[in-house]
Amino acid sequence: MKVEIWMAGALLCTAAACSLEGNAGRVWLTEGLAAAVPWANGAVPLRNQNGALVAPNEPVYPPIGAETPDPGSRAVDCSGLSGIELSPFWIETFEADPSLPNAVGVAEGWSAYDDETYGSFRVPGDAAWYPGLFGRYKEKWGLAADRITNGPSCDGQPNGWALHFRGGRFNYFGAGLEHPLAAIVPCPSGSDVCPQPPAPGATVDPVGLPLTRPDGHDFEQPEPHRYWDLSRYDGVTFWARRGPDSQPGVLVALHDKHTSDALNREHQTFCRRIKACRPKCQNGLPCTVENPDAPVPTHRCFDPAVGMAPIAEPALLEELYPVCGPSACQSPDYYYDRDLDGTECKAYDFSGAQAGYYCYGSEAPPAEEERCGDGWVASIRLTTDWQLFVIPFSEFRQVGFAKHAPFLDLRSINMLALQLPVGFADVYIDNVTFYRRR
């Protein structure tokens, strides 16, 4: 998503915030940030006297912008719920499991990213990254939710948790939250979002996605090719608000077979994939061989005199000690990416607007008109009050920076995302689901 949303983020920029040169904002790591957010951009991971990572037990939300006090939300308006029916099979409330002692909410299957501006941060991390949350949730994986007061409720039920993203300052394209719809539950039992199964002996599924690689072999990673059929629904709905120092603009994004990097993995039928990379270490540490005796050694950003802290979570390891140099395009052994096999991290300039480093081999990266990533987006504006957003699928449009899709294929939706613009972000979302008109 980092490269895929470049132009989408640019749409939300203002002249003051998005000039190509001289972006104002944080250009240093503030004191204490590496301890509160160990994966802050450019931070060197801190270690205690035993060599273990210094990390907070629970999520910490550092201040942003002018540190304006949050006034909270006024009473919510529930009138937007009249005339629509919410999906009975999928709704993201982020509430804690009452069967667990001292339970915490988790946004299962959600992840976050940002544009890697030096000195910026984003929170929360995955729930598994916080030692103090161990045993307090049942979700497989996902971002830690935030405890709130007086969350939006229109049925009298208490609402004590929401997904809360805070970070910045982002100076390039922004940041975002994303949720692969079928990552945790490929098909909710008895639901109306289950895609049709392939016909016996078919080589493609009902939406035209190949069932095997072009060479006839099984996919290395079948999971990314999962999706939901949302053709029985009219749109997406959720509650959202922002903190006072957050940019108000947000893009709500959907990815289908025409735009999804994941759905086109290992076959690239509807669009071609591209991956940005970083050849050098942003934190200033040397690009060091992690495992010199391995068949394929991995180069990471760490000081060989100090070594790396023991990290059990693979995703956290990638954040704290990113791959670099010869390994910048190397996929991890637990999630092998055949499309990147044999590529190198090399400079490339897409018509002057997107110059950078990308993974490619002897052939140039795919042309802009062939690339995946230009998802279907709808624009909303947040205030400090909780608002109900009811967004019809008919309002979603492509930005126009990659391959033009013939239509939004509601039968093959695999990703729902929120894209946040340049600047500071302090966004709350809750009760995410799909709806249809009564």
Side-chain angles (χ1 to χ4, degrees), residues 282-366:
Q282 189 185 40
N283 58 15
L285 296 178
C287 187
T288 307
V289 177
E290 172 192 7
N291 47 358
D293 297 328
V296 181
T298 301
H299 295 73
R300 296 188 182 275
C301 297
F302 70 94
D303 185 345
V306 177
M308 299 192 304
I311 305 296
E313 291 294 327
L316 182 56
L317 175 66
E318 299 301 323
E319 290 281 353
L320 295 177
Y321 302 105
V323 292
C324 54
S327 302
C329 295
Q330 179 179 322
S331 56
D333 55 9
Y334 59 86
Y335 199 70
Y336 180 66
D337 193 340
R338 179 175 290 273
D339 295 339
L340 299 181
D341 187 25
T343 64
E344 299 178 56
C345 186
K346 298 183 288 187
Y348 196 79
D349 188 345
F350 286 96
S351 67
Q354 298 181 55
Y357 287 88
Y358 302 92
C359 295
Y360 64 99
S362 58
E363 297 182 2

Side-chain angles (χ1 to χ4, degrees), residues 197-216:
T203 58
V204 298
D205 70 8
V207 301
L209 289 166
L211 298 175
T212 60
R213 298 198 319 250
D215 61 8

